[in-house]
Structures are given as structure tokens and as C-alpha cells.
Amino acid sequence: MKFIFFSALLLTFSISLRAQTLEGQILDQSSSPIAEATVINRANQQHSHSDLRGNFQLEKVAVGDTLEFRHLLYRPQLLLVVQTDSPIIVKLDDLAVELEEVVINNKVNSLQLLSDIDLQLQPVKSSQDLLKKVPGLFIGQHAGGGKAEQIFLRGFDIDHGTDLSITVDDMPVNMVSHAHGQGYADLHFLIPETVEQIQFEKGSYNEQKGNFATAGYVNFKTKNYLENNLIKLEAGQYNSARVLGLFKLFNSEKQSAYIASDYQATDGYFESPQHFDRLNLFAKYSLNSSPNNQINITASHFQSSWDASGQIPTRAVEQGLISRFGAIDDTEGGQTSRTNIRLAHKKIIDAHSLIKTSLYWSKYDFELYSNFTFFLEDSINGDQIKQQEDRNIYGLNTEYNRFFHFNQLEGALIAGLQLRADESIDNELSHTVNRQTVLEQIQFGDIQEKNAAAYLGAKLNIGKWLIQPSLRLDYFDFAYTNHLSSEYDHRATTKSILSPKLNIAYQQSNRLQLYLKGGKGFHSNDSRLVIAQNLDEILPATYGFDLGYNWKISPKMFLNMAYWYLYMEQEFVYVGDAGIVEPSGRSQRQGIDLSYRYQPIAPLFFNLDANYTHARSIEEEIGQDYIPLAADFTLQAGLNYKHPSGLYGSLNLRHINDRPANEDNSIVAEGYTLVDANLGYGYKQFDFAVQVQNLFNTAWNETQFATESRLFNESESVEEIHFTPGTPFFLKAVMQYKF
């Protein structure tokens, strides 16, 4: 008995010496901590999780055990334990282009992961082209490449941003009370190659997003560091060229910095050359001053100028007066610039709480010349208008997060504060001739608009359930000083809105998730209209919900499907002759979104996004209740190939249905189907590619409006489709060098 007792005691003592508690930290490749990563000991299935500092403790670990590190946003990693008496540091790589690694989980947006894969596989031709990575989102350009694109999503003609909140690193892109229309979002200051992730959500269900987030929001997250230096050269038809440079200044565990520069120019495919050019500069510095403090400083500047042929009437082409690529008034065009500075700080207070704060400032200039109606109002000089403004934007975002675990309940509490102030100086709408002579100032004044918001939210994981209630409060201060008044005319008003939201998800398994999202959103009215017309609906609200599921049909196949509904207290309608957005009546939209991804073999990836929408005005009679330019069906599909040898290519299809251009559908905006292609090969540090837009040279109209206009030789005006022709067959060669 003594022998057995002492043998057992010795065995227990030896095991206690062998199996110990291992401590460590999990970081990403920029040395930032990764929270909520899972650590599993394959020898005994003991597991643990990392805290906000990336730290973890794992019991009963012995030399020779194999540890597995997993996180939904990073590649799994195995580690053989060679010692247990000192802490270890593990760095995880970003998620690879593998659909098999996408999992269904309440802690991550599965559609977000699919967007990350799409971004890696498909070439992006411009900063605005990044928007098309959002399933179901279409864009169109109609002013020489320099103006912000027209956006279509969920049965909305969003114009330039009235119902889609767009941000870059959480800094707003949308302009309130802009000279060319409410919510104007010019994303051209963003260099596509600096984007690391596109974060998006359809609907108004996120408490962090306020104004304009009715159809949804998109946030572009830029890279904190570069893995390689990059020089890229592009050359194409129509005297098109682009030069890009990305350069690491330094890159260490504690700090990194890089700069990026992008210049592009083209004459375009119009008969009147566009003389388009754009210069972009971007710099970012990241500092991990301590394990608990991270600082990011970004600065960017862009400037652009262009000429434009504008929107042309269908009758002028059919009568042979001009070609599809001709112009009635080719003196349209403009120039714009934007400078941004942003300072962001993340402070990890303790293992379960952090606070994020960012400050930003933007200096913005805009000048645009347009002629929508030709000689309708002025039969001698024409109807050209100038829209101009100089703007400063100041802002602050701060958010506190508290994570907790209590028995079977885990989750987070969120509290945030947002402040934004816009000063638009000399905001002008004038009647001009040939971009030189001002005949009449129609509007001229200063706009001051302030927005303060506070929000509270919770994320509760209870077994297979995820419950996210939240509440957002927005306060607006509108002010306008009219310089055209004979006396000093300064008027102001204020308004608040409360927006509750609730999201619920049920994870039936790691292959199937059901969800219901609901919430209230809003879009603000233009300050000039609020003051001048004494509008009742200063902050018209929207109410909507999404009911859907994410289903991993097989390891290589993913399906998302949702039915959604949205009610709006007030539509916004673009008024061409005034060049502004004005309020209209109530409306409702409902539809079905479908996203499908399939990767039969590692190099081959298929994507499909189909969207059906039924959009109608509520206050009009049946047959008179169509919402102009609301597309009822859109389709995007692509086949992408990326072989380890370096060979890659893709075919991508876009389709949008015919859609009503006016309220009774008597004027129709024609749909189109386009195919783009690219083929390339990467060899060591070099990459060569050929990209083709509109492979089959389809004649299509990129943007279309029902507009009443009169040509110089006409006695009566005509209302019909006015359009900007889309890109014909366009070939471009791309060469890049990484070092």
C-alpha cells in the first residue's frame, strides 16, 4: 500500500511539473491585439479566449502539446509548445481567399467576409468602383468623371448619396446641404489600393450610423501598414493613363507609416475631350505606443478638373443632330478638391473595456457647371447653371465598449457620442454662359449646420441567440445667411429625432443563421429648404425591417437571402433645372435580396447577387404612383479564377432592368446588360494584366432622367429621356511592381 501511495504521489507531482498554465498574447500582422480569439490545446481540448489586450491564459499545457489559434477574421494557426515557463506571442495572418474558411457565427457579419473575398479577387477600376462591392449596389457617372456618381440600391435612385451613408475610417463623405444636392458623396479622394476592408449593412439598423443611413451604410477601412512597396502603371484607350505609388516609410512592431500617390487623366470617349485629370495624395502613421494605446494619423488631399458633354436628349440623337457621344452644350464641367486630416486613438482601459476616439477636419471646394434644359428658360443665352461652395467640416467621434461574461451570458455594452459641424461659405446657384459670365445669382449665402448625436447599444449572446437593442438620439441646428437680401437675413431652426433599433439572430448551427433586423432611420433636409419653406418634415423618418438567413450549404457554397420592407415619411426628388434635391411625398419599398457564392475548387470562385424591389408612392393613385428611376431588378454575377502559378482572370456581368423615369411610367429609362473581363499573370514581384470594360461593345445609357428641355431651333419644349452614354468597349493594360 505504501508503494502504491508513494507511486501515485510521485505521478501526480510529475504531472503537476509537466502540465502548467501558459500565458501569451495574440496579435495581427501590425502588432495590434486580437480580442475574442480562441486557443485550443489539441492534447486535452482545454480552451481559452483572448481579452481586449490579446492576452490569454491556458491551463494544463505541457511541452510537446499542439495549440490551435482561431479567429473568424484570421487564418487558423498551429503552434508546438516548446516551453511553458515564459509568455508567448502569436501573430495571425489575415483570412485567405477561401470560402471554406467563412463560418456562420453570431459574432461576425458573414456577408462582410464575402465582400472581403470579392475585394481580393476582382480588380477595382476607381474609388467609386469600390461601392459596387456592396451586393446590389449600382453606380453611374454623368459629368465627365469628376462629379460624384449616381447611386442605385434597394429601389432607390439615391442620386449622389441622399439615402446611403458613406464614410472612410468613420469620417463622413456625405455633404449636408451641398451646392449640388443633399447628401452629395464624392469618394474620389480615396485611393482604392489603400483600402483594407469594406464594411457595409443594408437598412437603418446600426446605432452608430445616423443621417442618410436609410438604404444602408458603407465604411471603407484603410490599411494601417503596407506589406510591400508598389508602383502601378495603367494605359488605355482615349488617352487614358494612371500612375500609382505606395511606399513604406517604416514598419516595425510599434509603429508604421506609408504614403500613397495617384494621378490619372483621360480625354474620355466623347467627341468633346473631357480633359479630365485627378491627383490624390494619402499618408498614414500608426503607433502602438504601449500595449494599451494605439494612435492613427491620416492626411489626404485630392484635386480634380474636367470638361463634360452633359446629358443629351434622345430626340437630338434620333434626328441626327448629334451622335450618342456628342453634346448640346460641351462647356459643362468643373473642378473640386478636398483635404482631410484625421487623428484616431484607441485606449484599452482594462481586459474588458476600451474607448475609441477620433477627430477630423476637411477642407472642401466645389465648382460645377451644368445645363439640363438647354434653352427652356433663356432662349438666347441658354440655361447653364453654376453651383459652387467652399466648405469646412469639423467632427468628433468617441465610443466606449464594455465586454462581459456571466455564466451562459456574454456580450458588450456600447455608448457613443458624435459631433459634426459644417460651414459652407458662399454656397451659390447662378445662371451662367460658357462657364465665364454670370447672368444672375439665384441663390447665394452661407450655411451653418450642426449635428450632435448620442447612442446606446447592447450585444447579448445567450446560447444560440444574439439580441442587439439600441437607441440613437440626433440633434440638428440649421442656419442660413442669405447674401442676396437687401438687409442682413440670418435665420435658424433646430430639430431632434429619436431612433430605436433591434436586431435578433438565431444560430441554428455553424452552417445556418436566421435573423430579424428592425429600426428607425432618417435623412435630413437641405438647410436652405428648411429655412426658406418652413418645412414640417425637417428630419423625415424611415421605418423598416429585414428578415433573412445565412446558410453555408456546403463547405464551398454560401447563400444569403432576405425579405425587407421600408416605409419613408418623405421622398427626395432631384430637380434638374435647379440642380438640387427637393422633398416629395411618402413611399414604401419592399423586396428580396439574394447573394450566392460558390468555390468548387480553390482557384475558381463564382458570385451572384440578385435583387428585386417593388417601390411605390403612397399618396398617389395606382398607375400614378411610380417612383422615378427606382429599379425593380438588378443582377451582378462573376466568375473569377486565381491560380497559385500566378495566372488569374475574371468575367463579370451587370444587369439592371428597364425602370420608370416618371410617376406614370409613360417615360422609361432603358436597362442594360454589360460584361467586363480581365486577364493577368503575376510573376515574382511583377504583375501584368489586361482589363476590358464592356467586352461586347453594348450601346447603353449610364444615367437617364425624364427632363423637359428645348433646343435652340425648337418652338416648344419636350419632356423625354435625357441620358449620358455609357462606356463603349474600353481596353486598358496594367503593369505593377512590388518591392
Side-chain angles (χ1 to χ4, degrees), residues 640-707:
N640 303 275
Y641 182 80
K642 191 172 186 179
H643 196 269
S645 66
L647 180 67
Y648 63 89
S650 68
L651 286 171
N652 294 284
L653 179 144
R654 287 178 290 149
H655 169 80
I656 186 170
N657 252 19
D658 292 350
R659 53 203 185 277
N662 59 354
E663 289 78 2
D664 62 4
N665 200 25
S666 60
I667 302 177
V668 176
E670 295 181 357
Y672 56 82
T673 301
L674 300 175
V675 176
D676 298 336
N678 82 295
L679 181 66
Y681 180 72
Y683 177 73
K684 295 183 178 179
Q685 290 92 359
F686 288 92
D687 192 292
F688 305 91
V690 175
Q691 298 178 3
V692 179
Q693 297 181 45
N694 195 357
L695 180 64
F696 300 112
N697 198 27
T698 301
W700 64 293
N701 298 335
E702 187 161 11
T703 56
Q704 303 171 72
F705 300 91
T707 305

Side-chain angles (χ1 to χ4, degrees), residues 239-456:
N239 296 324
S240 301
R242 180 182 183 230
V243 181
L244 168 75
L246 279 77
F247 304 101
K248 296 186 294 183
L249 300 180
F250 47 84
N251 194 0
S252 65
E253 288 192 359
K254 283 196 172 183
Q255 57 182 343
S256 63
Y258 68 92
I259 58 174
S261 179
D262 172 19
Y263 175 77
Q264 50 189 306
T266 184
D267 282 337
Y269 47 86
F270 297 90
E271 293 178 2
S272 296
Q274 290 179 305
H275 302 122
F276 168 84
D277 67 71
R278 178 188 300 141
L279 174 66
N280 288 72
L281 301 171
F282 179 84
K284 189 168 188 177
Y285 171 72
S286 301
L287 171 66
N288 294 331
S289 58
S290 71
N292 300 330
N293 288 278
Q294 299 176 35
I295 297 173
N296 285 312
I297 301 174
T298 57
S300 67
H301 173 77
F302 109 100
Q303 59 189 44
S304 179
S305 63
W306 67 95
D307 296 328
S309 296
Q311 299 154 27
I312 57 176
T314 303
R315 64 187 184 278
V317 177
E318 293 177 345
Q319 294 171 11
L321 301 177
I322 59 174
S323 75
R324 278 181 49 82
F325 303 106
I328 300 298
D329 182 356
D330 64 356
T331 65
E332 296 188 27
Q335 59 187 11
T336 185
S337 68
R338 179 167 178 168
T339 301
N340 305 301
I341 296 177
R342 178 179 179 268
L343 171 64
H345 176 231
K346 182 167 77 171
K347 169 69 175 178
I348 299 177
I349 301 171
D350 54 40
H352 302 289
S353 60
L354 63 84
I355 187 168
K356 298 181 292 185
T357 302
S358 64
L359 293 165
Y360 60 85
W361 167 73
S362 292
K363 176 69 174 71
Y364 173 79
D365 300 297
F366 176 84
E367 183 179 72
L368 178 69
Y369 294 87
S370 308
N371 190 345
F372 302 105
T373 54
F374 311 123
F375 294 92
L376 178 67
E377 303 294 337
D378 188 332
S379 60
I380 304 299
N381 300 296
D383 299 346
Q384 186 181 88
I385 59 173
K386 177 178 76 170
Q387 295 164 305
Q388 178 176 307
E389 66 165 88
D390 298 321
R391 181 184 297 251
N392 284 283
I393 308 174
Y394 309 91
L396 164 70
N397 297 323
T398 184
E399 181 180 279
Y400 172 78
N401 290 258
R402 176 71 184 182
F403 300 87
F404 60 85
H405 298 269
F406 182 74
N407 294 332
Q408 297 297 316
L409 175 65
E410 64 177 39
L413 300 176
I414 303 170
L417 176 67
Q418 297 172 346
L419 303 173
R420 173 178 173 174
D422 286 66
E423 295 179 351
S424 178
I425 308 302
D426 294 339
N427 195 301
E428 179 182 2
L429 171 63
S430 296
H431 180 196
T432 60
V433 177
N434 296 325
R435 292 170 63 169
Q436 295 179 350
T437 305
V438 176
L439 300 178
E440 178 190 9
Q441 286 186 313
I442 303 169
Q443 293 180 345
F444 186 54
D446 297 338
I447 298 171
Q448 296 84 33
E449 187 169 326
K450 303 178 183 67
N451 176 206
Y455 57 87
L456 292 171

Side-chain angles (χ1 to χ4, degrees), residues 498-528:
L498 191 65
S499 305
K501 307 169 192 291
L502 177 63
N503 301 332
I504 300 173
Y506 176 74
Q507 187 175 338
Q508 193 273 336
S509 67
N510 60 2
R511 294 178 53 191
L512 180 62
Q513 179 196 61
L514 311 175
Y515 61 84
L516 173 63
K517 301 178 181 181
K520 178 183 176 182
F522 70 94
H523 51 194
S524 66
N525 262 303
D526 189 299
S527 289
R528 293 162 294 183

